[in-house]
Amino acid sequence: MAIAEAVKTYQNYIGGEWRDAENGATLEIHDPGNGELVYRAPNSPVEDAGRAVDAAKYAAENTDWGDNPHARATALYKLAQALRSSTDWLAPLLTREGGKPLSVSRAEVLRASDAIEYYAGLARNVYGRSTMLAPDSLAILLREPIGVVSIIVPWNMALSLLTRSLAPALAAGNAVIIKPSSVTPGATAEFVAMIDAIPEFPRGVVNLVVGPGSTTGAELVRHPDVDMVAFTGDTGTGKEIMRMAADTLKKVGLELGGKSPNIVFADADFDRAVRGALNGASMFHAGQVCIAGSRVLVEESIHDRFVDKLAELTKRMRLGHGLQEGVQAGPVINEGQLNRVMGYIEVGKSEAELLTGGQRATEGELAKGFFIQPTIFDRVPVNATIAQDEIFGPVLSVLTFRDEEDAAEVANSTVYGLAAAVWTSDITRALRVAKKVKSGLVWVNTFGKLFAAGEMGGYKQSGIGRQYGLEGLWEYTEMKHINVQL
Ligand code: NAD
């Protein structure tokens, strides 16, 4: 990687070589917390996507990566260790490019290395099955790599969302092309440099192309030599990707948007539930988390007490640049997102009661970044825009319900189904409601806990396929039946 004065310029990584974009174009990445230039990255045209696909295809067909689980396990273990030991210098870069507080970035690096380590363990366990289908017929069911996988990633949790797809794809023996968001490609490029330094990764097994989604990203979907697209991002983009993938009938894994309900019954541990609602809303990352509990559903009988406490805790949150000590909430990612979120807040003011926040935060140093006050709307009608759309900003909607039936109905009233939580001291009620909620992940008396070994994924328009766990590994395999006449 070239270093231009104090500001780094990252490059693409194709076939084991670092290269500028074919046309030499670069992007400037600015810190959303203070506007400073952080680094430059390539703004690659579609030709670079094509080259990366060629390199991945060559590696998939001409190296023993797909048939050498021991090498894959060793490579992934080394990568997990390299990533974990980089936490102290890599987490600040995640904060500078993405805005989240340093503690959140540190946790992200550790979650990413944990996922890689988990799949390193599974790399030697990509077992199929075998059985007798008739007295003279043996079936050998082999799990094989799919081939070339494009991994397309959003900006909000650049490393943990990348590794959630990358680690199982590599453990299963595939070759990949990584397309990070053009908004946050730096930490990803640093991570790919760690891969470059590990000799067990054959050249071309991992490639990196930074460029616009609508052109370079689309090429990584359309290209006939790409066998699967693992996409994490907006639901609208996910639909477009599915349409493009239809032309070559390739497999798609889609992890999309959410509008997760946090359902609080009157018998819940009150203080824990209030803190869970605030934490679940992901105000720490200005609400820019796919699983964010952006709707809190409160049982009518505790509503007043609940919203009083919630507003009190929210007002105390300290906004600021993520590298500053004691900061609890960062900025939104850029001006476009700021305007989009402020637009939703204006809509919310006409739909519900503003409990707290509702303004851009511009005091002192905050004026240099894209900060929005953590905002809560109360008495939000089920069909209000702010109760239905994924705002991806620090905006929480409080709704009420009467009973279990009503709670599940309100919870299921959006097109999304990514995550949910139920807060109650009655475990049988918790399980009844968890069963009724149409969502890939339901927490009971907690919110937001993710485990490399615990599956997650979307119901409804939140996605297709599963991430993490064994199911997350099988996504990246094809099943071949070899039938033997005895
Ligand atoms: P986005 O859909 O705009 O972009 C995601 C990625 O897709 C980027 O790398 C982008 O360059 C690329 N892209 C855009 N258009 C493309 C196209 N036509 N073809 C190929 N690639 C294209 O999403 P974003 O704004 O970066 O991220 C925010 C969204 O991601 C939110 O909706 C959020 O809920 C979602 N998300 C979902 C999960 C999950 O696990 N379900 C996790 C994080 C974020």
Side-chain angles (χ1 to χ4, degrees):
M1 275 172 289
I3 297 178
E5 294 163 10
V7 175
K8 256 188 180 177
T9 298
Y10 290 105
Q11 292 177 302
N12 292 324
Y13 181 68
I14 298 176
E17 283 173 16
W18 293 99
R19 303 169 172 206
D20 291 333
E22 169 69 16
N23 57 5
T26 57
L27 296 160
E28 289 195 341
I29 305 300
H30 294 263
D31 182 328
N34 59 19
E36 282 173 12
L37 175 63
V38 187
Y39 55 79
R40 293 188 183 84
N43 193 16
S44 312
V46 288
E47 288 76 14
D48 287 317
R51 276 193 196 96
V53 174
D54 293 346
K57 187 177 182 216
Y58 185 84
E61 293 179 352
N62 296 286
T63 69
D64 68 356
W65 179 248
D67 287 328
N68 193 345
H70 189 269
R72 301 202 300 269
T74 306
L76 288 168
Y77 272 122
K78 286 187 179 178
L79 181 58
Q81 282 167 357
L83 182 57
R84 189 173 291 121
S85 63
S86 72
T87 310
D88 285 350
W89 62 265
L90 192 57
L93 178 59
L94 275 176
T95 290
R96 293 192 72 210
E97 68 182 14
K100 65 199 107 165
L102 187 58
S103 58
V104 180
S105 296
R106 291 185 67 89
E108 181 178 355
V109 176
L110 296 176
R111 186 170 337 119
S113 50
D114 184 55
I116 298 169
E117 197 168 78
Y118 171 75
Y119 284 108
L122 286 179
R124 283 190 271 184
N125 288 279
V126 191
Y127 281 108
R129 315 191 294 275
S130 58
T131 190
M132 297 300 294
L133 294 177
D136 62 352
S137 190
L138 168 66
I140 300 170
L141 296 148
L142 267 185
R143 284 199 182 270
E144 297 193 324
I146 292 179
V148 173
V149 181
S150 292
I151 300 177
I152 302 178
V153 188
W155 46 264
N156 62 321
M157 292 277 172
L159 269 189
S160 60
L161 299 174
L162 164 63
T163 51
R164 199 176 64 168
S165 299
L166 178 81
L170 293 177
N174 297 284
V176 306
I177 304 109
I178 300 167
K179 216 289 292 161
S181 168
S182 297
V183 180
T184 55
T188 302
E190 296 285 1
F191 170 70
V192 171
M194 296 175 206
I195 293 175
D196 182 41
I198 296 172
E200 283 80 3
F201 284 107
R203 292 155 71 92
V205 157
V206 178
N207 303 277
L208 169 74
V209 178
V210 187
S214 57
T215 52
T216 307
E219 179 65 11
L220 291 172
V221 178
R222 288 201 199 101
H223 199 297
D225 290 335
V226 171
D227 302 295
M228 174 178 176
V229 180
F231 171 79
T232 306
D234 177 69
T235 291
T237 317
K239 291 178 185 178
E240 175 64 21
I241 282 179
M242 207 167 163
R243 278 191 282 269
M244 289 191 285
D247 286 340
T248 45
L249 269 185
K250 59 188 50 125
K251 182 172 181 180
V252 288
L254 301 174
E255 284 284 324
L256 309 176
K259 191 76 183 176
S260 301
N262 225 328
I263 308 167
V264 185
F265 285 91
D267 65 355
D269 178 324
F270 184 83
D271 289 330
R272 285 187 57 200
V274 178
R275 281 198 308 275
L278 185 56
N279 184 42
S282 308
M283 294 297 189
F284 55 85
H285 194 10
Q288 301 165 122
V289 176
C290 57
I291 53 173
S294 50
R295 292 182 298 152
V296 177
L297 281 47
V298 189
E299 189 163 356
E300 188 60 62
S301 61
I302 57 162
H303 166 270
D304 294 357
R305 196 158 73 95
F306 192 93
V307 292
D308 284 353
K309 185 75 187 173
L310 184 62
E312 182 197 319
L313 293 181
T314 305
K315 281 179 197 157
R316 272 199 242 145
M317 288 196 82
R318 203 177 134 208
L319 259 69
H321 192 282
L323 292 182
Q324 278 167 16
E325 193 81 21
V327 158
Q328 294 167 299
V332 296
I333 190 71
N334 53 30
E335 194 171 3
Q337 189 69 359
L338 179 99
N339 293 335
R340 188 173 166 272
V341 175
M342 291 310 298
Y344 271 112
I345 289 175
E346 284 314 306
V347 172
K349 287 176 183 169
S350 67
E351 292 183 321
E353 297 170 21
L354 181 65
L355 197 64
T356 182
Q359 303 285 334
R360 180 172 181 179
T362 52
E363 311 87 68
E365 295 282 292
L366 297 182
K368 294 184 188 164
F370 304 114
F371 292 92
I372 299 175
Q373 294 171 344
T375 298
I376 302 179
F377 284 103
D378 191 18
R379 298 283 176 201
V380 180
V382 176
N383 294 320
T385 308
I386 58 164
Q388 293 291 321
D389 289 11
E390 184 189 49
I391 298 173
F392 227 55
V395 182
L396 177 60
S397 290
V398 179
L399 297 83
T400 56
F401 64 86
R402 291 180 307 276
D403 53 26
E404 268 179 52
E405 195 108 333
D406 192 30
E409 202 176 311
V410 177
N412 289 334
S413 66
T414 73
V415 297
Y416 299 108
L418 192 59
V422 187
W423 298 81
T424 172
S425 55
D426 178 345
I427 186 65
T428 53
R429 164 190 277 165
L431 294 177
R432 278 195 303 272
V433 176
K435 280 278 294 160
K436 280 186 190 154
V437 173
K438 292 188 171 63
S439 157
L441 178 52
V442 184
W443 290 285
V444 174
N445 293 330
T446 186
F447 197 101
K449 276 193 176 170
L450 298 175
F451 300 90
E455 278 76 357
M456 66 174 296
Y459 276 41
K460 303 198 283 183
Q461 294 189 28
S462 285
I464 296 176
R466 288 296 174 268
Q467 302 272 7
Y468 288 143
L470 266 180
E471 296 298 327
L473 178 64
W474 302 149
E475 295 286 344
Y476 296 94
T477 64
E478 286 276 19
M479 174 66 85
K480 177 178 282 171
H481 176 175
I482 301 176
N483 190 271
V484 185
Q485 175 69 36
L486 299 180

